[in-house]
């Protein structure tokens, strides 16, 4: 009977094979082995990727997380296995097995509490990273990895806030720059157009006298010079900001250079009743020579801008003090004067372009570029320009390297 059953099963199998082969559907792909290899072919890429990932995970060594974290995971698994085996296989009183059970539960509850605390801290950090408001993450009690992440988040937020503040300030400065340049260009151009038109109409009507023509031509000349200086300062400020200035540093006698600059501006200062005193820091007449390593032309421009600023904005009938002194590796030039107008502005703001201490425009010849240009030139030569304001006392300190 068994042989008959086996014969019938074999005959059925042979008949099935014949039908499959005759139909052209292929035989091997419908067998168990064929289906298995077909599945491997369809999912080969997925299996290979997962195999590579499994191999990479096996070689993983923590970089930011403490390396002992892996040991903690291994220790957790080992201790659980040990407690379960002791509870199940320990021969003795039932109380001993219950004790191991209590230890197992207590240990896992402790680990679970620590894990929940870790996840809660991570959740707070993720929430803080997705909001624009300042969120303080309490790092006490958190693992070192989360404390580091929270600290980096705070630093990143502060950096972003500073970048946004700087962008807003730059946009505001750009707007003010356009407004102020338009104002300073429009004023002399309006005068040039008006006086040129007036001069032309009077000449055409033959109503122009020699004295009147000289007056009009003088106004046109003064306004043209003012416009020329503004354009030159704008070009100079643009070149200096871009660092597009050719420097030829060499040893310079700063004492002599300051004397030359003072000689140029002293006559105009005296018209306003100002007297400039060039002394050492102790107030004695300066006789010692002080040297710097800088570009002569650009250093003179820095000195001239500061002296010009003092000449324009000093209170009448006051003294202006200039001094030169040596530092360890630098030489300092200091200029002090008393402002004619209240200095209701910070030193940082005063250093910006088109900003003047009296906050008014058109009353003086300056247009607020001199200090900015002087600062940038000093910086390009490896030095600095610092301003100090104390009431109406204005002080500028230029530092230049000795070598």
């Amino acid at each position: 009977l068994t042989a008959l059953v086996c014969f019938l099963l074999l005959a059925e199998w042979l008949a099935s094979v014949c039908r499959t082969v005759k139909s052209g559907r292929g035989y091997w792909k419908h067998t168990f082995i064929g289906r298995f290899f077909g599945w491997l072919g369809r999912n080969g890429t997925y299996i290979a990727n997962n195999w590579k990932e499994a191999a990479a995970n096996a070689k993983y060594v923590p970089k930011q997380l403490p390396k002992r974290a892996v040991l903690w995971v291994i220790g957790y698994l080992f201790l659980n296995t040990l407690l379960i085996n002791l509870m199940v296989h320990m021969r003795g009183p039932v109380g001993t097995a219950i004790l191991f059970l209590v230890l197992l539960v207590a240990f896992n509850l402790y680990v679970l509490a620590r894990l929940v605390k870790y996840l809660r801290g991570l959740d707070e950090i993720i929430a803080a990273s997705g909001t624009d408001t300042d969120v303080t993450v309490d790092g006490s009690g958190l693992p070192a990895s989360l404390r580091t992440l929270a600290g980096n988040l705070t630093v990143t937020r502060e950096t972003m806030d500073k970048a946004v503040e700087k962008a807003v300030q730059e946009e505001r400065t750009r707007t003010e720059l356009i407004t102020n340049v338009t104002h300073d260009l429009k004023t002399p151009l309006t005068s040039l157009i008006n006086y040129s038109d007036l001069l032309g109409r009077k000449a055409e009507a033959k109503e122009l006298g020699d004295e009147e023509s000289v007056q009009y031509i003088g106004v046109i000349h003064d306004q043209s010079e003012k416009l020329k200086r503004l354009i030159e300062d704008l070009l100079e400020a643009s070149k200096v900001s871009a660092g597009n200035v050719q420097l030829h540093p060499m040893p310079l006698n700063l004492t002599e250079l300051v004397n030359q600059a003072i000689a140029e501006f002293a006559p105009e200062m005296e018209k306003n009743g100002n007297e400039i005193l060039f002394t050492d820091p102790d107030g004695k007449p300066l006789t010692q020579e002080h040297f710097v390593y800088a570009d002569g032309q650009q250093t003179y421009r820095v000195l001239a801008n500061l002296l010009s600023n003092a000449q324009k904005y000093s209170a009448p009938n006051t003294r202006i003090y200039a001094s030169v002194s040596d530092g360890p590796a630098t030489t300092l030039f200091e200029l002090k004067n008393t402002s004619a107008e209240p200095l209701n502005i910070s030193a940082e703001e005063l250093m910006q372009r088109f900003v003047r201490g009296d906050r008014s425009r058109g009353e003086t010849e300056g247009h607020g570029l001199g200090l900015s240009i002087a600062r940038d030139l000093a910086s390009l030569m490896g030095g600095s320009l610092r301003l100090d304001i104390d009431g109406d006392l204005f002080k500028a300190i230029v530092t230049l390297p000795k070598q």
Side-chain angles (χ1 to χ4, degrees):
L1 180 61
T2 301
L4 178 61
V5 171
C6 290
F7 172 76
L8 292 175
L9 290 174
L10 180 61
E12 174 59 24
W13 176 73
L14 289 174
S16 176
V17 169
C18 291
R19 286 195 302 272
T20 302
V21 172
K22 285 183 178 181
S23 66
R25 290 181 296 166
Y27 170 71
W28 286 106
K29 66 180 182 179
H30 292 285
T31 63
F32 175 77
I33 296 176
R35 290 178 184 275
F36 173 74
F37 280 105
W39 178 84
L40 285 180
R42 290 191 301 272
N43 298 277
T45 303
Y46 175 79
I47 295 171
N49 291 337
N50 278 272
W51 177 258
K52 291 179 182 178
E53 184 177 353
N57 290 337
K59 298 177 182 178
Y60 168 70
V61 177
K63 295 179 181 178
Q64 300 299 329
L65 288 172
K67 294 183 179 179
R68 63 176 180 272
V70 177
L71 298 178
W72 281 109
V73 173
I74 295 174
Y76 169 76
L77 296 175
F78 173 77
L79 194 55
N80 267 284
T81 305
L82 178 63
L83 289 173
I84 292 172
N85 276 278
L86 289 173
M87 181 183 67
V88 173
H89 300 291
M90 176 66 70
R91 296 181 180 179
V94 177
T96 305
I98 294 175
L99 175 64
F100 285 123
L101 177 61
V102 170
L103 290 175
L104 178 66
V105 172
F107 173 67
N108 280 277
L109 286 176
Y110 172 77
V111 173
L112 180 62
R114 297 287 296 181
L115 180 61
V116 170
K117 185 174 184 179
Y118 184 92
L119 293 176
R120 188 175 62 195
L122 182 61
D123 188 62
E124 290 178 1
I125 293 173
I126 293 173
S129 66
T131 180
D132 294 332
T133 57
D134 292 333
V135 179
T136 303
V137 179
D138 185 12
S140 59
L142 292 179
S145 57
L146 288 188
R147 288 200 302 270
T148 302
L149 185 60
N152 290 340
L153 177 63
T154 303
V155 172
T156 301
R157 187 179 298 282
E158 290 176 354
T159 304
M160 183 176 66
D161 290 342
K162 289 180 181 178
V164 171
E165 183 180 353
K166 182 180 179 182
V168 172
Q169 179 64 29
E170 288 178 351
E171 183 62 30
R172 187 183 299 116
T173 302
R174 190 178 297 112
T175 303
E176 292 176 356
L177 176 66
I178 294 172
T179 303
N180 293 331
V181 169
T182 303
H183 180 280
D184 281 348
L185 288 175
K186 181 180 178 181
T187 301
L189 280 176
T190 302
S191 298
L192 288 173
I193 293 170
N194 290 341
Y195 278 91
S196 299
D197 183 60
L198 185 59
L199 190 64
R201 284 190 285 106
K202 283 186 173 288
E204 185 178 349
K206 297 181 180 180
E207 298 175 355
L208 189 64
D210 291 340
E211 185 177 346
E212 197 174 13
S213 64
V214 170
Q215 179 186 355
Y216 291 165
I217 291 172
V219 173
I220 292 174
H221 178 268
D222 291 343
Q223 295 299 324
S224 299
E225 286 294 323
K226 183 178 180 181
L227 188 59
K228 177 185 175 183
R229 286 195 301 271
L230 174 58
I231 293 173
E232 287 176 347
D233 283 345
L234 281 171
L235 291 174
E236 184 73 15
S238 176
K239 289 195 299 181
V240 171
S241 296
N244 190 22
V245 178
Q246 293 294 328
L247 297 177
H248 304 284
M250 62 182 69
L252 295 175
N253 186 340
L254 186 60
T255 306
E256 181 181 346
L257 205 62
V258 172
N259 275 316
Q260 293 176 8
I262 289 175
E264 178 183 346
F265 287 92
E268 289 297 323
M269 292 178 178
E270 291 172 359
K271 292 180 182 179
N272 196 37
N274 299 124
E275 179 187 6
I276 183 165
L277 301 177
F278 186 30
T279 63
D280 62 17
D282 296 329
K284 300 177 181 178
L286 191 64
T287 56
Q288 182 183 355
E289 294 182 338
H290 298 270
F291 288 87
V292 295
Y293 188 75
D295 183 284
Q297 181 180 356
Q298 305 304 339
T299 302
Y300 189 86
R301 180 68 186 272
V302 172
L303 299 175
N305 284 7
L306 294 178
L307 290 168
S308 174
N309 186 76
Q311 177 233 317
K312 293 170 186 173
Y313 300 111
S314 291
N317 305 312
T318 57
R319 291 188 179 92
I320 301 170
Y321 295 90
S323 65
V324 176
S325 60
D326 281 331
T330 59
T331 300
L332 280 70
F333 168 73
E334 186 176 291
L335 188 68
K336 294 184 289 185
N337 68 286
T338 303
S339 174
E341 300 290 338
L343 290 171
N344 52 354
I345 187 173
S346 68
E348 183 179 353
E349 289 179 289
L350 195 56
M351 199 80 78
Q352 296 175 5
R353 297 178 185 177
F354 287 99
V355 173
R356 297 185 299 187
D358 56 7
R359 298 286 194 182
S360 62
R361 306 199 58 82
E363 298 178 4
T364 58
E365 298 177 5
H367 37 253
L369 286 173
L371 293 178
S372 173
I373 292 174
R375 176 199 58 191
D376 292 341
L377 284 175
S379 178
L380 284 176
M381 292 186 291
S384 64
L385 168 61
R386 188 180 84 249
L387 302 182
D388 286 339
I389 296 175
D390 185 4
D392 293 337
L393 179 63
F394 175 86
K395 182 164 63 174
I397 303 102
V398 178
T399 304
L400 291 173
K402 291 182 179 179
Q403 61 181 10

